[in-house]
Amino acid sequence: MSNDRPLVLPGETIDLSLIPSHPKNPLRLGPGLRHIPPSDIVPTAAGELITNPVKNSMWVEYNSNRYIPSQNDIILAQILRSTSDFYLCSLAPHTPPATLPHLAFEGATKKTRPVLLPGQLVYARVSLANAHMDPELECVHASTGKADGLGPITGTGCIFDVSLGFARRLLMARPAQDGGLAVLEMLGGEEGGGMAFETAVGRNGRVWVGSASARTVVVVGRALQETDRGRLGVEGQRRLVKKLVREMS
Amino acid sequence: MTATTTPEATFGVLPRADGSARYSHAGYTVTGSVNGPIEAQRREEHAYEAHVDVVVRPAAGHGGTRERHLESVLQSSLAQIILVKSFPRSLIQIVLQVENSPENDYVNTKLVQASLNFGIMPALMQTAVLALLSAGVPMRATATGTAVAIMHQDGAKQTMVDPSPRDIEKARSVHVLAFTSQDELLLAESEGDFTVKEWDLVYETARGICCRSRPQAKEGMAMLLDDESTGGPDMRQFLRSTMESKVAADLHWK
Amino acid sequence: MAGPTISLPAPIFAKISPHPFLVRSLTRSTAADHPPCRANGRATQELRPVRFNATSLSHAHGSALVRLGDTTVLCGVRGELLPVERIPQFRPVDKEELRQQGENNNGNCGDAIGRGELRDYDLLVPNIELATGSAPQFLPGVPPTTLAQTLSTRVYSLLHSTGLVQAGDLKIWYSPKEQRRGEDVEMGGTGDKEDGDEEERPVAYWVLYIDLLFVSFDGNPFDVAWAAVVAALRDTRLPVARWDPDREVVVCSKTERRRLNVRGLPVACSAAVFMEKEQSEAGAGPREGGHWLLLDPDRLEETLCKEVITMVVDCSDDETRIKSLEKQGGTLLGRELIRGYAGIAERRWKEVRTAME
């Protein structure tokens, strides 16, 4: 039972030999674990226990469908309504709305702030996530004052829901190499016939696909959702893309 | 239904819910969904912890006083194993729909009975725990439960695990016990006519089913032999093996 | 002390921070001869005295007013006749089946069938009302609260499982032979022999409506409600009823009343576990802080405790019989504590019996 990724259930005791002991770095606990003083480390979720001896960190890998905001996550939010100072946005269904200050946009002042209507999409960063308060968003980097690609989403497109794990893979710097996710590259490449589209992936399990052609939006969206649900490998993704392109043309 | 049926569980039966599970054992089939943490209504909001809301829906008809009682029993037990302090002001909603319950072959069975239903309590408990695990709600422990009846037959006392409704009707006393994965007694509900000594016996039986020691359960052969000796399924091993397959499938995109 | 000291009167302290208030009362080190006690002045294992007042309602067939500290419950039992022809699924108990059942149950004759009749025909109908104003949390004009529904389920369930009232005592029989003999005396022997072989048969049942009203509410509702139900049933006197074959109705005697046969005296005893650390997530790892088992908790204590235990015992016979055990909401009460709790429940049983008689 001592493989490198053992299954843990909430409340189980973790084998001491699994806990990394780095001489210098402090032990870092990731999601799914909690520390009960003085020296107990107990999992709180069912999943695989991952340890990293180099970084002296450990966490539990588990899947959840509910997005829980955490700081610096890039998310896709939908405006619910505007108050005098901020917009209220929804990150996931049935959760308390997140606040997005009117002035948290690039170069925004009282006069030049963007006017957003209910239903509009915003690509934003979680600037404050705290269990006791509603989350806060921003569309501008606080130190540089630059948007860095964040802001209201304009142009024609559509939003697609994917699982949280899938969204996280899409957000990797090189999803094709590191995450085994080549579907977007294929769609834009030769398999998809060089479709022109843009995407915005939110950590909260939402992907916005924009393109001038509605056909492209539908193909890209379906390709993403089917890859997610079918848990397709790279070869499966290639077949899926070819099939979708054939069907839609 | 005989008591020897093995429990079965499937996950993710409801794609829209944050977590869901269908569990069937001893003739009962229950589907549970878990949503949360979500926004709590103002009157349910608690400043320091999440509100756990349990809804039990019977197989037929509307929930009545009996379901309210089941809900309150489950709610107080589940709130103990969920880390409610991690999600202040929010709501964790657990909906348990009974799909199938074993037929009572008694002639005048009434559909709605206000009295307690001991047989279904372990199934509801188990479904709720599985659905919570499936939703990834942080918990401090898992829980397993079972029902035990004491029968008087031919002048001899005997314990019976997972009694059918007909057995419950005839039993001298019926007990439901649930244990956390740290072997603590989480829930104990008993009814009938019994002594402290008999309760001890029930406790031992239930504990044997709910908290069998892990090394013993690890080896397949030993587990089988063990099963025969105590006459009941090993709930903790069941929980572990079902989660194993679920986690493997889930972590594809990690 | 650095900052200004604020002193608050006890009721205000209790209101704004109830948990530390109770912890302070329980841990306070006063004079050696005065051990720490709860905020209500009782020792942790001290129960409030219980008082019974039977036959307090003149129009009910049986009633009782039970007082436990500031929790007061009024219980009224009213019998209504249910003729068998109005029972849609009436199934007369087969004598043969009764005999078989008796054999199977090994002397526990007819118990299961009696229980079945009570349940199938709904012969016991408990209803609980938490009066507006009995405690601040009960608001007027709302549907029955979860507490009221839970209590009534528990009372209903326990009524059936303890076999306090038996279906046999609620059954009204028509036995042609006996009745004819009576008529013979009256009418001077002009009885006809046509229906001579007509069998004895049940003609009606008494349905007992057991209504409970919480006049004032200060914790521990189940113990009081159950005591009131038992006391009211013991007080119940149903009119003697017989079948009038000519008019085909059940007639009740105006003067003659018969005491309802109540089997056993089950008594409920509840307690709550109070944890020293409010924030503690009970369980994992070594437990920090102490805990107290508070017997017969009042309203303030109930709001602060999560784990509760209720044990219903009957010591009428030599051996203590447990009729029901309910423990939920925590993991502190393990096997040993529950075993020990039976002794506490026995003590309670003696007190209640003395008070009831």
Side-chain angles (χ1 to χ4, degrees):
Chain A
M1 175 77 228
S2 58
N3 57 351
D4 54 337
R5 297 180 141 204
L7 171 82
V8 288
L9 291 181
E12 284 188 343
T13 41
I14 296 174
D15 198 350
L16 279 178
S17 63
L18 292 169
I19 299 174
S21 52
H22 196 274
K24 284 202 201 110
N25 293 352
L27 182 67
R28 290 165 56 133
L29 298 182
L33 291 173
R34 75 182 174 129
H35 173 227
I36 301 169
S39 60
D40 287 331
I41 294 166
V42 181
T44 61
E48 284 176 359
L49 181 73
I50 316 266
T51 47
N52 187 335
V54 180
K55 288 182 183 162
N56 205 27
S57 62
M58 60 195 291
W59 69 95
V60 176
E61 277 286 10
Y62 65 98
N63 196 14
S64 121
N65 291 334
R66 172 68 50 182
Y67 174 69
I68 295 164
S70 75
Q71 207 164 0
N72 291 329
D73 277 356
I74 304 290
I75 47 89
L76 259 176
Q78 190 168 26
I79 305 286
L80 293 174
R81 60 175 198 273
S82 170
T83 67
S84 58
D85 292 327
F86 45 79
Y87 295 108
L88 292 174
C89 327
S90 133
L91 303 186
H94 309 296
T95 45
T99 54
L100 172 62
H102 282 167
L103 300 181
F105 294 90
E106 191 183 38
T109 60
K110 278 238 179 288
K111 295 209 172 111
T112 61
R113 69 179 178 88
V115 179
L116 302 177
L117 297 172
Q120 220 171 329
L121 292 172
V122 183
Y123 202 37
R125 181 192 297 109
V126 178
S127 59
L128 182 87
N130 181 325
H132 292 272
M133 292 164 70
D134 292 343
E136 221 173 282
L137 310 176
E138 60 184 9
C139 289
V140 61
H141 210 282
S143 52
T144 60
K146 290 273 183 269
D148 288 337
L150 301 179
I153 287 182
T154 49
T156 54
C158 193
I159 204 158
F160 295 91
D161 287 332
V162 294
S163 72
L164 297 185
F166 187 78
R168 209 181 61 170
R169 281 218 174 178
L170 283 174
L171 278 170
M172 282 178 173
R174 297 177 303 161
Q177 286 81 13
D178 301 337
L181 259 186
V183 64
L184 290 180
E185 288 184 6
M186 289 173 191
L187 286 163
E190 56 173 304
E191 287 92 343
M195 287 181 184
F197 62 91
E198 50 183 345
T199 58
V201 183
R203 187 76 178 74
N204 52 343
R206 288 172 174 177
V207 183
W208 176 81
V209 179
S211 172
S213 127
R215 189 183 75 96
T216 309
V217 173
V218 172
V219 168
V220 174
R222 273 187 62 189
L224 287 173
Q225 286 190 324
E226 286 182 29
T227 308
D228 177 24
R229 282 171 205 160
R231 302 192 171 115
L232 301 180
V234 175
E235 234 357 86
Q237 292 167 25
R238 194 185 311 276
R239 270 198 301 274
L240 173 72
V241 168
K242 281 184 178 156
K243 192 188 90 179
L244 283 174
V245 169
R246 202 170 48 241
E247 275 176 13
M248 297 302 282
S249 55
Chain B
M1 279 290 160
T2 51
T4 49
T5 50
T6 48
E8 277 174 43
T10 41
F11 288 97
V13 285
L14 306 168
R16 294 270 174 196
D18 288 346
S20 59
R22 176 178 288 135
Y23 172 81
S24 47
H25 180 47
Y28 291 100
T29 305
V30 183
T31 298
S33 80
V34 168
N35 278 295
I38 55 177
E39 194 172 13
Q41 279 182 29
R42 185 60 59 83
R43 68 189 156 87
E44 292 172 338
E45 202 175 277
H46 191 291
Y48 297 106
E49 56 183 48
H51 175 79
V52 179
D53 183 28
V54 183
V55 181
V56 176
R57 297 181 200 271
H62 294 282
T65 55
R66 182 180 71 178
E67 278 68 29
R68 295 293 94 70
H69 182 250
L70 282 174
E71 283 164 12
S72 77
V73 170
L74 287 168
Q75 195 268 343
S76 67
S77 303
L78 293 171
Q80 286 293 312
I81 57 168
I82 299 171
L83 290 169
V84 284
K85 297 268 178 354
S86 320
F87 302 106
R89 305 179 306 120
S90 61
L91 169 77
I92 294 170
Q93 189 177 50
I94 304 163
V95 182
L96 300 164
Q97 169 74 55
V98 181
E99 283 187 37
N100 211 350
S101 52
E103 287 290 310
N104 189 344
D105 42 7
Y106 185 61
V107 181
N108 276 345
T109 306
K110 285 202 307 178
L111 203 58
V112 183
Q113 286 184 352
S115 69
L116 284 177
N117 189 341
F118 277 78
I120 203 165
M121 233 189 268
L124 291 173
M125 181 91 183
Q126 220 64 62
T127 314
V129 169
L130 289 169
L132 283 166
L133 285 174
S134 140
V137 173
M139 296 200 281
R140 78 170 177 85
T142 53
T144 45
T146 191
V148 179
I150 292 189
M151 315 285 289
H152 282 231
Q153 258 173 2
D154 311 322
K157 269 181 241 164
Q158 62 182 94
T159 54
M160 183 183 219
V161 178
D162 297 319
S164 71
R166 190 84 181 104
D167 296 328
I168 288 176
E169 193 105 347
K170 284 194 289 185
R172 190 60 75 84
S173 58
V174 192
H175 312 258
V176 170
L177 289 98
F179 294 85
T180 65
S181 48
Q182 278 113 11
D183 296 357
E184 300 157 314
L185 182 64
L186 181 65
L187 172 76
E189 300 269 311
S190 309
E191 197 180 73
D193 183 38
F194 56 101
T195 58
V196 176
K197 262 192 201 136
E198 287 175 336
W199 188 78
D200 262 356
L201 187 71
V202 167
Y203 181 90
E204 282 302 322
T205 314
R207 203 184 145 93
I209 291 162
C210 295
C211 347
R212 207 159 297 170
S213 59
R214 204 162 301 127
Q216 214 176 352
K218 271 285 110 193
E219 294 135 49
M221 213 39 221
M223 196 190 88
L224 278 175
L225 290 171
D226 212 33
D227 264 355
E228 279 162 28
S229 62
T230 45
D234 181 352
M235 293 311 292
R236 203 174 278 173
Q237 174 62 21
F238 160 74
L239 199 68
R240 203 179 164 81
S241 57
T242 43
M243 280 322 287
E244 222 150 35
S245 53
K246 191 249 172 195
V247 166
D250 260 5
L251 296 185
H252 187 264
W253 292 123
K254 293 280 173 180
Chain C
M1 258 232 199
T5 46
I6 311 165
S7 75
L8 293 170
I12 294 175
F13 185 19
K15 200 100 189 166
I16 54 177
S17 61
H19 194 275
F21 177 69
L22 194 50
V23 173
R24 282 294 288 278
S25 332
L26 284 162
T27 51
R28 179 178 50 187
S29 57
T30 44
D33 58 326
H34 188 77
C37 61
R38 301 196 231 169
N40 48 29
R42 281 189 275 154
T44 51
Q45 307 267 310
E46 189 180 336
L47 299 142
R48 291 177 282 188
V50 61
R51 273 189 308 197
F52 289 88
N53 191 350
T55 335
S56 32
L57 301 177
S58 55
H59 292 278
H61 289 130
S63 62
L65 183 79
V66 180
R67 220 178 140 178
L68 180 76
D70 280 340
T71 304
T72 312
V73 174
L74 182 61
C75 177
V77 176
R78 191 175 165 79
E80 301 241 342
L81 281 169
L82 175 71
V84 289
E85 57 266 29
R86 287 208 357 234
I87 302 175
Q89 281 179 310
F90 181 64
R91 190 179 68 111
V93 178
D94 208 3
K95 287 229 169 74
E96 182 64 21
E97 199 182 334
L98 200 72
R99 199 179 52 79
Q100 269 180 8
Q101 196 84 16
E103 276 168 17
N104 284 349
N105 272 12
N106 209 5
N108 206 1
C109 176
D111 235 33
I113 288 183
R115 251 190 264 172
E117 276 181 285
L118 282 179
R119 199 156 45 206
D120 289 344
Y121 310 145
D122 271 331
L123 300 185
L124 301 172
V125 189
N127 180 45
I128 292 184
E129 195 183 328
L130 299 160
T132 307
S134 61
Q137 71 254 44
F138 305 130
L139 304 169
V142 291
T145 53
T146 313
L147 178 65
Q149 295 193 44
T150 307
L151 281 175
S152 83
T153 307
R154 288 169 74 187
V155 167
Y156 180 95
S157 208
L158 200 55
L159 268 174
H160 285 94
S161 73
T162 50
L164 208 58
V165 180
Q166 278 158 309
D169 295 328
L170 300 178
K171 227 185 251 187
I172 297 157
W173 289 90
Y174 169 55
S175 46
K177 288 185 191 123
E178 258 175 56
Q179 222 145 35
R180 198 166 313 110
R181 212 176 304 129
E183 280 163 22
D184 283 354
V185 175
E186 270 175 35
M187 301 163 86
T190 52
D192 47 324
K193 297 250 186 307
E194 285 165 19
D195 48 5
D197 52 346
E198 197 183 352
E199 263 198 33
E200 197 182 42
R201 62 186 169 94
V203 285
Y205 288 94
W206 283 107
V207 180
L208 296 182
Y209 289 91
I210 304 165
D211 286 288
L212 288 150
L213 176 73
F214 276 82
V215 180
S216 69
F217 183 93
D218 190 21
N220 204 358
F222 183 72
D223 284 13
V224 195
W226 180 249
V229 168
V230 175
L233 284 173
R234 282 162 73 96
D235 178 57
T236 301
R237 284 168 186 80
L238 292 171
V240 173
R242 65 175 180 85
W243 175 254
D244 187 334
D246 300 332
R247 283 185 291 164
E248 297 208 319
V249 287
V250 177
V251 278
C252 293
S253 158
K254 271 194 180 138
T255 50
E256 209 181 339
R257 288 186 169 214
R258 197 165 38 82
R259 189 181 270 272
L260 186 70
N261 180 24
V262 177
R263 217 169 48 151
L265 178 64
V267 169
C269 181
S270 298
V273 179
F274 179 67
M275 308 292 288
E276 184 172 352
K277 278 191 75 184
E278 193 177 14
Q279 302 291 321
S280 85
E281 288 148 359
R287 204 182 306 282
E288 286 170 66
H291 69 270
W292 293 272
L293 186 67
L294 305 179
L295 284 181
D296 183 16
D298 66 15
R299 195 158 55 84
L300 171 79
E301 288 161 354
E302 271 185 348
T303 55
L304 299 173
C305 300
K306 288 203 169 123
E307 185 166 10
V308 287
I309 180 169
T310 299
M311 194 185 270
V312 181
V313 292
D314 193 345
C315 314
S316 308
D317 302 330
D318 298 337
E319 200 181 13
T320 303
R321 309 294 300 185
I322 304 172
K323 297 291 182 182
S324 155
L325 169 68
E326 288 178 67
K327 179 223 107 107
Q328 61 197 53
T331 50
L332 210 127
L333 287 169
R335 182 189 196 165
E336 293 307 316
L337 279 169
I338 290 178
R339 229 189 259 165
Y341 192 72
I344 297 170
E346 276 169 39
R347 205 178 81 209
R348 182 57 164 181
W349 184 85
K350 291 199 185 91
E351 279 176 23
V352 170
R353 190 192 50 181
T354 318
M356 214 181 260
E357 282 162 4

